[in-house]
Amino acid sequence: MSDARPQKINGIVTPLITPLSDRDVLDVQGLERLIDHVLDAGVNSIFILGTSGEAPSLSYQLRREMIQRSIEFVCNRVPI
């Protein structure tokens, strides 16, 4: 059994808007630039899909892609 414990989140938690290039199409390059920008600014954590009320208007597939891409781009640098 692993000793997986939740990470304590503190400091600056930055909400991210979901960048779209078209209706229900994630702007993947825009997301990567946005994540790099906020991480370069020194944020301690990123908050996706919940801060602007946009999530219910996005398709399940787009939300899933946003989560997967965000995890990929953040690459364990900060909690999501």
Side-chain angles (χ1 to χ4, degrees):
M1 189 158 102
S2 74
D3 187 25
R5 296 179 187 189
Q7 247 182 324
K8 184 176 180 182
I9 297 176
N10 57 27
I12 300 170
V13 179
T14 299
L16 296 185
I17 197 78
T18 302
L20 301 176
S21 60
D22 203 348
R23 180 174 170 81
D24 217 31
V25 178
L26 183 65
D27 180 353
V28 176
Q29 293 172 336
L31 176 61
E32 187 169 16
R33 285 192 312 269
L34 181 59
I35 288 173
D36 284 340
H37 176 73
V38 298
L39 292 180
D40 289 346
V43 303
N44 302 101
S45 185
I46 293 176
F47 191 139
I48 61 170
L49 295 174
T51 57
S52 68
E54 70 190 10
S57 65
L58 303 175
S59 71
Y60 177 77
Q61 180 179 347
L62 180 59
R63 286 181 275 166
R64 185 176 183 90
E65 182 181 9
M66 176 67 174
I67 293 165
Q68 290 172 332
R69 298 282 186 160
S70 296
I71 291 168
E72 175 186 326
F73 296 149
V74 169
C75 193
N76 293 317
R77 293 181 280 179
V78 297
I80 297 177

